[in-house]
Amino acid sequence: MKKFETNAIRTQADQSSSREHSVPLYLTSSFTFDDAEQMRAMFADELEGNIYSRFSNPNTSEFIEKMCLLEGAEAGYATASGMAAVFAGFMALLKSGDHIISSSSIFGSTHTVITKFLPKWGITHSYADVNKPETWVGLIQKNTKMIFIESPSNPGLDIIDLKWLADLANKNNIILNVDNCFATPFIQRPIEFGAHLVIHSGTKYLDGQGRVLGGIILGKKELIKEIYTFCRSTGPSLSPFNAWVLSKSLETLSIRMERHSENAHKLAVYLESHKEIIQVRYPFLRSHPQYETAKKQMSLGGGIVSFEIKGGIERGKEFLNALEMCSLTANLGDTRTIATHPASTTHAKLSEEERSSVGITPGLVRISVGLENIQDIIDDISKALESSKI
Ligand SMILES: *Cc1c(COP(=O)(O)O)cnc(C)c1O
């Protein structure tokens, strides 16, 4: 079996008769058949092959095959965005009367889907506190079908013990579904710890250059079969162009994640000693409450650092305004360093109480540390900390 970097580079769609070195873009909505019998057999799932790009396409298939190798998954389906993958996982596998347990510390839109939409279809939920693992067992009900988590979580960087949770899920016949967006398969592979499904927003580190939206859901064959049928019939498919971009981007995932992590770790250490900062969160800092767990299941700390600035909401905004180089934008996992203020943006739809229960304080700032020279990143942040003093 080839190693991670080689799989990320050498997994390619079959060469065409033109003998190209880099895979071409298959901009076609449908595929032709040799004859009526082949067409019948393909529609009947007796023969494998491309029929229509909502079902499959050589570019999306290459992206899926590569991601399966990188995550150690049996199968997958690629979607138009990360949220389409989250939604497809819920819709294809849950039904009215089912119950889901989710860590409370999750992406804002996922929180909205669980809290606002799932109840409309009779799917109930319980939110679980990552910092109190002993309370999780008590949340399991007879109708609990899925546990959904992010580790590290957005934006609080909470870490959950994946092995412990997978054992709990398996013992109770529950599907463990992990949003692995922050770590990427280069840093953490939840399936190796026993997770049944892994989700990614391809928009983040998989692309890594802030160009395209995309998502993917990977895992056990029998679960992906249901998800495939749901997606094939409802249409959240990834476009061939975005799949082509994402698959190309994966060729550099390993070196990008190494540098993102190196820069983020240096920034976290710098911030930890800064007198204008109350607290810094980074999985590979000893001060992180789940540092030992992070070390056990992640090979690097990742590219996100969050911190609490002195002076609350006003100071947080002043700090963002004082940045000269770092971008103010909603994305993360880009080559460019990005600063955001979750309380007023990504998590603004949550109530004040909900926000504080997931650790989003008014002065919390999230930095997606990019690939610029680390000294320039630190200089920009340090100047902004000085000039935003109140
Ligand atoms: C961005 C993000 C998503 C949603 O992905 P989109 O591609 O924007 O739909 C889901 N989970 C996490 C952790 C994210 O950061």
Side-chain angles (χ1 to χ4, degrees):
M1 237 193 11
K2 298 265 197 313
K3 303 280 192 296
F4 189 95
E5 295 82 352
T6 315
N7 283 330
I9 290 169
R10 290 283 169 181
T11 308
Q12 277 201 316
D14 291 340
Q15 208 173 40
S16 80
S17 56
S18 296
R19 293 177 288 104
E20 69 281 349
H21 188 211
S22 175
V23 78
L25 175 55
Y26 287 89
L27 275 187
T28 177
S29 42
S30 66
F31 301 84
T32 57
F33 306 98
D34 293 340
D35 52 36
E37 173 49 27
Q38 188 192 41
M39 188 169 181
R40 184 208 62 78
M42 279 196 189
F43 270 90
D45 286 333
E46 290 167 17
L47 256 187
E48 274 196 19
N50 296 309
I51 299 175
Y52 190 63
S53 285
R54 169 151 45 80
F55 310 171
S56 68
N57 170 286
N59 293 119
T60 51
S61 298
E62 178 189 293
F63 173 56
I64 293 166
E65 189 192 338
K66 198 181 273 193
M67 283 299 293
C68 282
L69 283 169
L70 302 186
E71 284 283 6
E74 291 172 3
Y77 187 82
T79 52
S81 69
M83 284 318 301
V86 169
F87 186 64
F90 291 159
M91 282 299 104
L93 302 174
L94 302 174
K95 62 177 190 315
S96 178
D98 286 348
H99 172 253
I100 170 172
I101 298 172
S102 169
S103 54
S104 51
S105 177
I106 47 169
F107 187 64
S109 300
T110 307
H111 191 278
T112 306
V113 171
I114 292 176
T115 310
K116 188 166 155 48
F117 291 101
L118 294 191
K120 280 195 190 181
W121 300 301
I123 300 160
T124 55
H125 62 272
S126 305
Y127 281 120
D129 187 342
V130 178
N131 297 304
K132 296 185 186 127
E134 70 281 0
T135 59
W136 286 57
V137 179
L139 298 174
I140 297 174
Q141 304 176 6
K142 264 212 236 53
N143 58 344
T144 305
K145 287 284 159 62
M146 186 182 284
I147 296 177
F148 184 90
I149 56 149
E150 279 174 29
S151 183
S153 68
N154 184 6
L157 301 167
D158 291 316
I159 307 283
I160 304 167
D161 189 326
L162 293 172
K163 172 79 173 60
W164 166 79
L165 198 55
D167 289 348
L168 181 72
N170 276 316
K171 218 186 309 161
N172 291 279
N173 213 10
I174 297 170
I175 298 165
L176 176 59
N177 189 352
V178 179
D179 183 335
N180 200 29
C181 178
F182 270 36
T184 80
F186 183 67
I187 289 180
Q188 168 179 282
R189 288 172 295 281
I191 289 170
E192 286 176 4
F193 298 99
H196 307 101
L197 289 172
V198 168
I199 280 175
H200 281 281
S201 165
T203 319
K204 312 296 167 55
Y205 288 108
L206 303 190
D207 173 26
Q209 290 147 86
R211 301 166 298 184
V212 299
L213 283 175
I216 193 163
I217 183 159
L218 305 146
K220 293 252 176 252
K221 230 184 216 145
E222 64 273 18
L223 299 177
I224 297 298
K225 194 161 175 249
E226 283 296 301
I227 290 163
Y228 167 76
T229 307
F230 174 79
C231 290
R232 169 177 161 149
S233 317
T234 56
S237 338
L238 181 64
S239 80
F241 177 74
N242 288 8
W244 180 84
V245 170
L246 289 168
S247 188
K248 278 273 152 211
S249 300
L250 287 175
E251 296 186 16
T252 56
L253 182 69
S254 61
I255 53 171
R256 286 189 284 109
M257 292 319 292
E258 277 170 3
R259 182 61 68 83
H260 276 299
S261 301
E262 186 188 324
N263 281 356
H265 202 156
K266 283 181 181 160
L267 177 67
V269 169
Y270 166 79
L271 290 171
E272 206 166 37
S273 65
H274 202 290
K275 57 187 184 322
E276 296 299 312
I277 306 281
I278 300 169
Q279 198 204 17
V280 182
R281 270 287 179 102
Y282 185 69
F284 272 26
L285 279 186
R286 269 179 206 286
S287 57
H288 190 290
Q290 293 110 12
Y291 170 77
E292 295 299 333
T293 310
K295 278 281 186 183
K296 201 176 71 177
Q297 62 197 27
M298 296 167 72
S299 62
L300 293 166
I304 312 286
V305 177
S306 61
F307 61 88
E308 174 73 15
I309 193 168
K310 279 187 190 165
I313 198 141
E314 279 315 309
R315 176 77 186 281
K317 281 190 180 163
E318 286 214 16
F319 167 75
L320 289 197
N321 287 337
L323 290 166
E324 284 175 8
M325 182 184 78
C326 296
S327 315
L328 304 190
T329 180
N331 200 22
L332 65 89
D334 198 305
T335 48
R336 297 152 199 240
T337 299
I338 295 166
T340 50
H341 184 231
S344 63
T345 56
T346 48
H347 291 69
K349 286 203 173 61
L350 275 64
S351 69
E352 181 82 44
E353 203 182 13
E354 284 173 322
R355 272 201 297 273
S356 79
S357 77
V358 301
I360 298 172
T361 47
L364 186 80
V365 174
R366 186 191 73 192
I367 307 282
S368 167
V369 185
L371 304 180
E372 303 98 334
N373 186 287
I374 183 59
Q375 203 49 55
D376 291 329
I377 299 171
I378 290 178
D379 284 351
D380 194 37
I381 288 172
S382 118
K383 269 193 224 144
L385 282 171
E386 279 306 310
S387 62
S388 65
K389 244 188 231 169
I390 17 182

